[in-house]
Amino acid sequence: MFRLFSTFLGPLLLASGCGGVEPGATTGQASLDPSTGDPSTGTSTTTTTGPGDTAPTTSTSTTTTTSESTGVGPTTADTEATKFDLGAGETQGETEGGCPVAPNDASITGTVYAPNQVIPVSGALVYATDTQPEGIPDAVYCTECVQLACETQFTLTKPDGSFDLAVPAGSKYVVVQKGQFMRVTEVQLAAGVNPLPVEVTSLPDHRDAANGLYIPNIALGLGSYDRLEDALGKLGLADTLIDPGSYSETLVEGTQQFDMWDNGGDGLYTTVGSVGELVLDYDKLSKYHVLFMPCSSDPYLSEFLSDLGKDNLRKWVAAGGKFYVSDWSNEYLSAAFDQYQTFYQDMDFGGPDLYSPYDSLGTVLDPDLLAWLEALPPALKDINPLNGGFGHPVISALPQIETVDNWSGVAATPPVLVDDGMGGQIDVGHKTWIEGPGDGYNAPSTPPNPLTITGHYGCGKIMFTTYHMAEASDSYIGLTPQELVLLYLILEIGVCQEAFEPPPPPR
């Protein structure tokens, strides 16, 4: 039996639910087939193989690629799917392809939550192993796909975050992982059903390698227009202070599990330096897995446009870094990755920063994101009861979702073709997660424009949203729809992938 999954792995094991199979629909043990792949769809000249018989995988820090050419057109790297053979898991007490299958006389059940222990996580990998797994490296690394141990039993959480996995009884390390978020807990499993508490199944809110807790190292370019620091706090990566009288929820400085670098933040919080300093110092940059550049007036653009800044940023992303940019910070993205997208220009003032923001009723295109949004509890779909009863979008008409404060517009996401290692080409350009109409002036209302996009560059990813990462510039209680999308992408963008050679820089 062959299934497709999108995987997002630390140095030992992980899978997330993309690639055409409902997360949580498949459990089992890995076969011994040694091949790996990254199938996807697209149009042009030569392609790597599609669905086929390959083994479950882990990630490594290598940059080799393997694929078979079929000569039917280029694939796209956007589906991030890795092939799994899970047939052995349905036979107990026998062997499959030389892999011993232990009898499963126990099971573990539970729900995987985000670090705040409130938001369910779809497509998280849950597995039980006799051997303590390696942790997440404490610096940028390549999450490339390699073969898993054949006896590993695992499952992916359903869109509501729930899971049920049959395992042998005894002392086990239970691992819950999504991207660079990973929790390892040693437990004693009795025969029969073992419900796991939220303290075991939630993604961690801080890094403590000695106790099996791992989160990505995050650098946040602190701007003055987009309160991403509050959103990260609400996700569980900092404490927040809630004032029900003013309907605000703000970061408690000093509790954050991420570093803030100045990007025009007007001294709102203490920073460790400027993003200009960061991009010019690769040793500092390489200590991070993720760099967020929310809306700003680009005070350090000259550093990003310098040859050293561009080289460092490309080198870091190619090594596995995740570069997430929103609206007015688009120039930071274009500095090093101009061939991936083009932007509409402001009709009155020129340039890609639009001076008349617009709201857009977008359409969710990714089926797994859509399934997760549909499965969210009602209290997460509507935060208005916490904020005086009105004023914020609600999730009530999926696949449509309201995005607020779009300050830019993506005009095009052209194919970005690179060598697939087998004599063909693969498109590593942007995948569109959400699309929607522009304002009809600076950005056309039809056809719909990309609002949320991600592309591959080497072993890393670049991401862009035309709207604020957090809604507007004010504080409020809870997470809005676009912040929930942000959470999904933070967890999803680290999916393991083949490290194709990056495209050459544009001339």
Side-chain angles (χ1 to χ4, degrees):
M1 175 174 65
F2 301 105
R3 306 287 175 93
L4 292 182
F5 295 106
S6 163
T7 60
F8 179 40
L9 311 176
L12 185 66
L13 171 64
L14 191 65
S16 66
C18 300
V21 176
E22 177 185 349
T26 305
T27 63
Q29 295 174 307
S31 78
L32 287 174
D33 188 332
S35 58
T36 60
D38 193 353
S40 37
T41 58
T43 56
S44 276
T45 55
T46 312
T47 185
T48 52
T49 53
D53 50 343
T54 55
T57 62
T58 63
S59 68
T60 69
S61 57
T62 64
T63 56
T64 58
T65 63
T66 57
S67 58
E68 296 180 8
S69 176
T70 60
V72 295
T75 58
T76 63
D78 304 328
T79 57
E80 300 161 349
T82 295
K83 293 171 277 189
F84 286 76
D85 180 355
L86 305 178
E90 297 187 352
T91 304
Q92 298 187 11
E94 301 177 4
T95 61
E96 176 80 13
C99 181
V101 182
N104 296 324
D105 53 356
S107 67
I108 53 176
T109 62
T111 300
V112 175
Y113 290 99
N116 63 6
Q117 298 188 1
V118 173
I119 302 171
V121 176
S122 170
L125 183 77
V126 180
Y127 67 97
T129 177
D130 296 328
T131 305
Q132 185 172 8
E134 298 178 27
I136 303 297
D138 197 21
V140 68
Y141 70 103
C142 182
T143 50
E144 196 175 23
C145 306
V146 299
Q147 182 183 341
L148 298 179
C150 68
E151 69 275 9
T152 302
Q153 295 172 294
F154 63 93
T155 190
L156 302 178
T157 56
K158 297 178 181 178
D160 65 357
S162 64
F163 65 89
D164 185 344
L165 175 64
V167 296
S171 180
K172 301 288 181 184
Y173 290 96
V174 172
V175 182
V176 175
Q177 187 175 2
K178 185 82 185 219
Q180 281 110 357
F181 289 87
M182 179 181 182
R183 180 186 293 271
V184 182
T185 309
E186 188 173 10
V187 297
Q188 187 68 37
L189 300 178
V193 179
N194 295 262
L196 298 181
V198 65
E199 292 79 14
V200 174
T201 63
S202 290
L203 300 178
D205 60 3
H206 66 286
R207 186 181 183 96
D208 181 0
N211 289 296
L213 306 176
Y214 303 90
I215 66 171
N217 296 335
I218 297 173
L220 168 63
L222 185 68
S224 57
Y225 305 130
D226 193 349
R227 301 294 296 269
L228 181 59
E229 66 278 3
D230 291 342
L232 292 177
K234 296 172 191 179
L235 299 181
L237 298 181
D239 293 339
T240 58
L241 178 64
I242 296 177
D243 182 350
S246 61
Y247 307 120
S248 67
E249 183 176 1
T250 54
L251 171 76
V252 177
E253 186 173 8
T255 67
Q256 69 272 13
Q257 300 300 311
F258 49 90
D259 291 339
M260 292 187 284
W261 293 77
D262 181 64
N263 186 31
D266 297 331
L268 184 62
Y269 295 106
T270 301
T271 57
V272 297
S274 74
V275 294
E277 298 171 41
L278 181 62
V279 77
L280 294 180
D281 189 332
Y282 187 77
D283 288 341
K284 292 179 180 178
L285 183 61
S286 66
K287 291 181 170 42
Y288 295 101
H289 303 108
V290 182
L291 171 59
F292 287 110
M293 296 292 286
C295 180
S296 74
S297 56
D298 310 328
Y300 301 101
L301 182 58
S302 61
E303 287 88 340
F304 278 73
L305 287 171
S306 69
D307 289 341
L308 178 59
K310 289 189 287 188
D311 288 345
N312 283 346
L313 192 57
R314 290 174 183 141
K315 177 181 177 182
W316 175 74
V317 175
K322 312 318 189 273
F323 187 41
Y324 201 149
V325 180
S326 73
D327 58 277
W328 267 22
S329 286
N330 60 75
E331 291 92 344
Y332 288 127
L333 179 64
S334 294
F337 307 103
D338 193 37
Q339 72 269 50
Y340 278 78
Q341 65 285 308
T342 58
F343 294 100
Y344 291 112
Q345 305 295 296
D346 189 279
M347 296 290 288
D348 298 316
F349 301 99
D353 297 342
L354 304 185
Y355 284 82
S356 298
Y358 59 95
D359 298 344
S360 179
L361 185 60
T363 300
V364 178
L365 302 180
D366 181 79
D368 296 314
L369 171 58
L370 178 60
W372 177 71
L373 290 169
E374 290 173 335
L376 288 175
L380 294 177
K381 294 181 177 181
D382 182 2
I383 63 170
N384 286 302
L386 302 174
N387 292 277
F390 61 93
H392 299 280
V394 300
I395 299 174
S396 61
L398 291 169
Q400 292 184 316
I401 187 171
E402 183 79 10
T403 63
V404 175
D405 276 1
N406 290 262
W407 290 86
S408 62
V410 175
T413 56
V416 180
L417 301 179
V418 299
D419 187 353
D420 68 0
M422 297 298 294
Q425 290 186 308
I426 186 168
D427 181 10
V428 296
H430 282 301
K431 166 183 175 175
T432 299
W433 297 78
I434 300 175
E435 66 178 12
D439 60 356
Y441 181 62
N442 288 310
S445 55
T446 57
N449 306 301
L451 303 178
T452 307
I453 53 178
T454 61
H456 292 236
Y457 187 86
C459 206
K461 291 190 178 71
I462 57 175
M463 294 137 281
F464 183 77
T465 60
T466 58
Y467 47 86
H468 274 172
M469 294 181 183
E471 181 189 313
S473 302
D474 301 321
S475 180
Y476 42 85
I477 301 172
L479 291 161
T480 62
Q482 61 206 56
E483 289 173 301
L484 291 169
V485 170
L486 170 65
L487 166 63
Y488 186 90
L489 291 180
I490 289 174
L491 298 176
E492 198 70 29
I493 58 178
V495 175
C496 74
Q497 63 192 56
E498 289 191 73
F500 298 107
E501 284 296 318
R507 296 180 179 180

